[in-house]
Structures are given as structure tokens and as C-alpha cells.
């Protein structure tokens, strides 16, 4: 199962209908929790997400709406005695803040949380990588890439009389014939881009992904304010998706100044014609099937 579970879509302050940030990506047997803001534990209850579903904790930056849920998540891992280790990524410059969050109150630490701070652009292991964004504090976005595989072509196999165990042997042994009876099966790709101005990192993360989750804090009428505060507008985010060949676009992180979100969809549609989701709390968005 590969799907995005939206736990919160608010930006600086939550509203009656939008919790602080929080996003869980189910990726086969992995669960990547991005930017857990205040109230994430409760949203997990509503969404049917257990602490044991989390295998990685990925924080883009150390502003409160993206990390004030970390203490509860860390302690919940121990409370529920999660048996597998959980790896935590966050900007290395925010190590002091992360330490305070991790040990914000007394608790019996039973779970294993492995800290792997992000120092620079590059791979983080397991297909996950990071790229620097442009925000008033150090921030990184995340990209998850499945390795390419092979898709066997039945008609070409049949034409050469390759059947049964011979197919498995061909895959195992490789060689020129394998290339003739198969094609590359492109691995699925996912990107998570939060608080940032337009920058090279945004495009590097979004390039060719099947799903892009991206902040769109403001509408285009406030583009000047967005740039000053280090944010994107819905139209900018949609233009990135269009230029990068994104298949499914998920807009989120909306300013409290907008009680209704219809204008975000209208604005994004001026730039992007693919599958579009203006995220709402507790939405579940499947990663699209391979093209």
C-alpha cells in the first residue's frame, strides 16, 4: 500500500478545521511521518494511524508548526513499545532544538530513535534524499525514489519460446537477450516540499515525481508577502508541478487568513492540468499507479 495520509494542513496557527502540519506516507512496509505539528497524536487517532506505523521521522525545519508534535510522537513510540528503530532526520543546524523536543518532559524511554541530522543535499539511505530549500531558517525537502525495475514482455518471451522456469533464469542471469524481452519499469517517486521560496531545491525535489506534496501558504495576490516570509503561492506551486512533469499534486499548508480553499484549486488549475488535491485534514491520497 502506498498512500499519503494528511494529518494536518494548517500553517503558522491551526484553525477550527485545520490542524497543524502532519503527513504520513505509507510506502509498502515503511511509514514516513513528515513535519508533525502540535496535535499530531490526536489526528493519528482519527486517521487510524498507530505509532508502530512510523519508521522514519522527517522534519523539514524547526519552526513550531512543523515540529511541536515531536515530543508527543517520541514519547508515544516508547509508550506503545514500538519494537523497530525509528530514524529521525532534521536540519543539522537545529540539533539543539530537536534535542529539547525529544526530551521535553520526563518519560521512560523504551523505543529506539536514531538521529541522522541532514547537513547537505544528498542521499539519506533507503531511497530517501534531501535538498536544501530557501526559508528564513535552514530547511530541507525530502524525495523518495524507488529503484527502477524490469517489466517482462509476454509477447516477446513467447516469440522466443521462453516460458516457465526459463523466464526466472533469464532474469537471474541477465545478458543481451534480457534487454530484448523486457523494458524498464520506472520506480515510483515522491517529494515533500514545505516552507520555501522558489529555488533550485524545489525543482530538484519535484522533478518527475508521481506525487508532490508542496506548501501553498498564500494565493497569488499575496505573492510579495509570500516571498518576504519565505513561502509559495498556489500558482507558483502548480507551475512547479507543471514544469517538472508531476503526475499528482497535493497542495497544503494554508494560511489561517483563508477560511475557504476553493480559490487555491482555481489558481492551481491555471498552471497544472494533472491530478490535483487541495488537501484537507484526514484526507487519504493514493500514490498513483505506475504509468
Amino acid at each position: 500500500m502506498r498512500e499519503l495520509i494528511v494529518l494536518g494542513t494548517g500553517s503558522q496557527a491551526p484553525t477550527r478545521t485545520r490542524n497543524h502540519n502532519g503527513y504520513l506516507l505509507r510506502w509498502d512496509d515503511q511509514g514516513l511521518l513528515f513535519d508533525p505539528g502540535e496535535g499530531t497524536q490526536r489526528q493519528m487517532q482519527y486517521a487510524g494511524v498507530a505509532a508502530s506505523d512510523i519508521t522514519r521521522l522527517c522534519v523539514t525545519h524547526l519552526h513550531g508548526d512543523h515540529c511541536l508534535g515531536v515530543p508527543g510522537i517520541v514519547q508515544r513510540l516508547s509508550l506503545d513499545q514500538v519494537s523497530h528503530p525509528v530514524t529521525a532526520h532534521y536540519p543539522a543546524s537545529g540539533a539543539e532544538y530537536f534535542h529539547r523536543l525529544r526530551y521535553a518532559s520526563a518519560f521512560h524511554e523504551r523505543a529506539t530513535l536514531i538521529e541522522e541530522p541532514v547537513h547537505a543535499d544528498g542521499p539519506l539511505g533507503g531511497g530517501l534524499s534531501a535538498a536544501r530549500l530557501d526559508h528564513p531558517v535552514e530547511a530541507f525537502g525530502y524525495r523518495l525514489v524507488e529503484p527502477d525495475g524490469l517489466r517482462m514482455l509476454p509477447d516477446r518471451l513467447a516469440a522466443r519460446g521462453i516460458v516457465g522456469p526459463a523466464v526466472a533464469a533469464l532474469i537471474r542471469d541477465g545478458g543481451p537477450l534480457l534487454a530484448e524481452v523486457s523494458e524498464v519499469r520506472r520506480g515510483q517517486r515522491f517529494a515533500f516540499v514545505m516552507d520555501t521560496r522558489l529555488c533550485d531545491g524545489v525543482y530538484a525535489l519535484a522533478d518527475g515525481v508521481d506525487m508532490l506534496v508542496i506548501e501553498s501558504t498564500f494565493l497569488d495576490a499575496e505573492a510579495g508577502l509570500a516571498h518576504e516570509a519565505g513561502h509559495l503561492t498556489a500558482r507558483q506551486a502548480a507551475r512547479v508541478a507543471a514544469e517538472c512533469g508531476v503526475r499528482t499534486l497535493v497542495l497544503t499548508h494554508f494560511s489561517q487568513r483563508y477560511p475557504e480553499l476553493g480559490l487555491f484549486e482555481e489558481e492551481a488549475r491555471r498552471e497544472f492540468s494533472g491530478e490535483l488535491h487541495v488537501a484537507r485534514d484526514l484526507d487519504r491520497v493514493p500514490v498513483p499507479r505506475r504509468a
Side-chain angles (χ1 to χ4, degrees):
M1 179 184 294
R2 294 182 178 182
E3 66 173 352
L4 176 75
I5 301 175
V6 180
L7 302 172
T9 58
S11 56
Q12 188 175 43
T15 71
R16 289 178 179 268
T17 58
R18 297 198 286 269
N19 198 72
H20 265 169
N21 287 283
Y23 312 85
L24 183 87
L25 176 66
R26 293 190 187 275
W27 191 268
D28 301 336
D29 60 345
Q30 302 296 304
L32 291 85
L33 179 62
F34 295 93
D35 282 7
E38 187 178 352
T40 294
Q41 272 196 92
R42 193 160 187 264
Q43 296 294 92
M44 287 169 57
Q45 296 280 17
Y46 284 128
V49 173
S52 58
D53 293 330
I54 302 168
T55 58
R56 288 204 195 212
L57 173 60
C58 301
V59 177
T60 60
H61 64 292
L62 276 300
H63 276 156
D65 52 327
H66 297 260
C67 67
L68 285 177
V70 167
I73 294 300
V74 169
Q75 295 187 28
R76 187 60 178 270
L77 295 173
S78 286
L79 179 66
D80 291 0
Q81 299 185 48
V82 171
S83 58
H84 58 259
V86 174
T87 303
H89 303 290
Y90 56 85
S93 62
E96 180 182 353
Y97 292 112
F98 191 87
H99 181 80
R100 293 176 188 172
L101 292 166
R102 180 173 179 176
Y103 298 108
S105 68
F107 71 105
H108 185 186
E109 188 169 22
R110 297 179 176 179
T112 300
L113 185 69
I114 302 169
E115 295 186 31
E116 293 187 0
V118 181
H119 295 270
D121 295 10
L124 301 172
L128 189 69
S129 61
R132 190 178 300 276
L133 299 174
D134 181 9
H135 197 53
V137 299
E138 187 176 46
F140 287 91
Y142 296 96
R143 177 180 170 97
L144 182 63
V145 176
E146 176 187 38
D148 291 341
L150 283 179
R151 179 183 292 110
M152 305 305 291
L153 302 174
D155 55 339
R156 296 187 187 179
L157 288 168
R160 289 163 176 77
I162 304 172
V163 296
V167 177
L170 178 62
I171 295 172
R172 182 185 65 245
D173 298 335
L177 181 58
L178 180 60
E180 295 178 16
V181 298
S182 66
E183 62 183 9
V184 174
R185 185 193 67 184
R186 184 177 181 272
Q188 288 185 309
R189 305 176 183 191
F190 169 90
F192 186 80
V193 177
M194 281 293 118
D195 300 17
T196 184
R197 304 177 182 95
L198 287 176
C199 64
D200 290 345
V202 173
Y203 292 96
L205 291 162
D207 183 40
V209 297
D210 297 283
M211 178 181 285
L212 170 63
V213 180
I214 187 168
E215 70 119 319
S216 57
T217 310
F218 296 100
L219 292 171
D220 215 45
E222 283 79 39
L225 177 59
H227 183 80
E228 180 182 346
H231 287 290
L232 299 174
T233 69
R235 191 164 189 174
Q236 288 173 326
R239 188 178 302 130
V240 167
E243 293 177 1
C244 291
V246 170
R247 295 178 62 203
T248 297
L249 172 62
V250 181
L251 298 180
T252 187
H253 194 272
F254 308 111
S255 168
Q256 62 181 325
R257 69 179 59 210
Y258 306 110
E260 300 296 331
L261 300 179
L263 289 176
F264 284 83
E265 181 169 4
E266 291 181 21
E267 195 162 281
R269 278 299 179 207
R270 297 174 192 166
E271 303 287 343
F272 181 73
S273 60
E275 185 175 351
L276 171 65
H277 293 267
V278 178
R280 288 169 171 78
D281 286 26
L282 305 182
D283 277 356
R284 305 176 89 99
V285 186
V287 176
R289 293 182 179 274
R290 293 181 178 86

